[in-house]
Amino acid sequence: DQDFFRFSGIFRPVELLLIPSVTIQDYRITTPLYENYTKADVHIEGKLSSTSQSIHIRLFDQGKEIASQEINNTDQINVSFALEKIHLWSAEKPYLYQLVMEIMDHDEIVEVVKQNVGIREFKIIDGIMCINGKRIIFHGVNRHEFTPDKGRVVSYEQTRKDLLIMKQNNINALRTSHYPNQTFVYDLCDELGLYVIDEVNLETHGTWSDRFDPSIFLPDNK
């Protein structure tokens, strides 16, 4: 159908999760850069399901702890780490830091969240898409979650192999045509160095015709 094979059934993992009474519901990490891309702030903001006894937030560089902060009796996260002599992330050099957040409740660690962090700035400068102030030259492909032997069921190992083949052929970007991919796809792109154009499938083929009459969507009395 159109541009990929469609199958019925469940083709992604289904999980049942038991989460603690105090858990991180959402969080966002930003990395504003300054002083000609030599310094950065790693800013973490988030919301918990309820008040936590304490939240211990640590940032690691290749296994070495470089910053940490503990906040107590709150259901909000709002923490910044100021870094110097930073390593920037790009497709050519996909350098990643590691963020660890430990949630305490009744003197016990009830949740640990780990997240890779790439310090980079994506910005349009004079009409040109730039990463860390330099023009991006895309060598990209459209990609579907598909294998010849298992259809839409694509494993982590097969996906990693696919992305490594892309890198070996100087491909530095992929478009998730036409749906959000599995979570590990984005993690692998962070790790291996691939820019991602992430799509959400909102297609409007029915409105393309010059015979389209918008009045069909209006009430009879309009």
Side-chain angles (χ1 to χ4, degrees):
D1 179 24
Q2 192 181 337
D3 53 4
F4 64 94
F5 292 101
R6 297 182 188 269
F7 299 99
S8 61
I10 297 173
F11 51 86
R12 290 188 182 178
V14 177
E15 298 177 344
L16 293 177
L17 298 178
L18 177 63
I19 60 175
S21 58
V22 181
T23 182
I24 297 180
Q25 291 183 320
D26 193 16
Y27 65 94
R28 182 170 183 246
I29 303 170
T30 53
T31 59
L33 289 146
Y34 50 95
E35 292 197 20
N36 197 30
Y37 303 100
T38 62
K39 299 181 180 180
D41 291 332
V42 175
H43 182 67
I44 308 103
E45 56 182 331
K47 180 174 176 57
L48 279 68
S49 58
S50 58
T51 300
S52 170
Q53 176 185 349
S54 67
I55 308 167
H56 191 191
I57 302 174
R58 296 181 291 168
L59 186 65
F60 294 85
D61 181 1
Q62 306 301 301
K64 179 182 178 181
E65 183 176 310
I66 58 174
S68 67
Q69 186 171 333
E70 184 173 318
I71 50 180
N72 300 305
N73 300 317
T74 181
D75 63 353
Q76 302 288 329
I77 299 174
N78 194 336
V79 171
S80 285
F81 298 130
L83 303 183
E84 300 182 359
K85 298 180 180 180
I86 56 176
H87 299 277
L88 298 176
W89 186 97
S90 68
E92 294 75 23
K93 295 181 179 180
Y95 198 96
L96 293 173
Y97 296 81
Q98 296 76 41
L99 181 75
V100 177
M101 294 184 284
E102 297 177 341
I103 312 303
M104 297 286 297
D105 189 39
H106 296 95
D107 297 323
E108 292 184 357
I109 298 177
V110 295
E111 184 175 57
V112 178
V113 174
K114 298 180 180 180
Q115 177 67 58
N116 285 329
V117 179
I119 297 178
R120 87 289 181 271
E121 176 193 79
F122 174 80
K123 190 175 183 181
I124 296 179
I125 302 174
D126 296 329
I128 302 296
M129 288 186 287
C130 297
I131 188 85
N132 305 326
K134 298 179 180 179
R135 177 185 178 184
I136 301 175
I137 299 178
F138 286 115
H139 301 284
V141 295
N142 294 327
R143 179 182 179 273
H144 277 293
E145 291 188 327
F146 185 86
T147 61
D149 56 344
K150 295 184 179 180
R152 302 299 303 279
V153 180
V154 185
S155 67
Y156 174 90
E157 292 76 18
Q158 182 64 50
T159 300
R160 185 180 179 86
K161 181 179 178 181
D162 287 346
L163 300 188
L164 284 172
I165 291 173
M166 291 183 192
K167 292 290 291 186
Q168 290 164 358
N169 286 274
N170 296 319
I171 292 169
N172 69 353
L174 66 86
R175 170 173 169 252
T176 65
S177 49
H178 305 284
Y179 42 84
N181 280 199
Q182 298 198 58
T183 301
F184 60 66
V185 173
Y186 307 99
D187 293 335
L188 285 169
C189 289
D190 286 345
E191 175 191 340
L192 301 176
L194 285 157
Y195 303 117
V196 178
I197 300 172
D198 194 25
E199 278 201 323
V200 175
N201 192 25
L202 178 61
E203 300 188 5
T204 55
H205 302 282
T207 65
W208 292 359
S209 172
D210 56 6
R211 294 170 293 181
F212 173 70
D213 181 4
S215 66
I216 64 175
F217 294 106
L218 297 176
D220 294 337
N221 61 347
K222 294 295 184 180

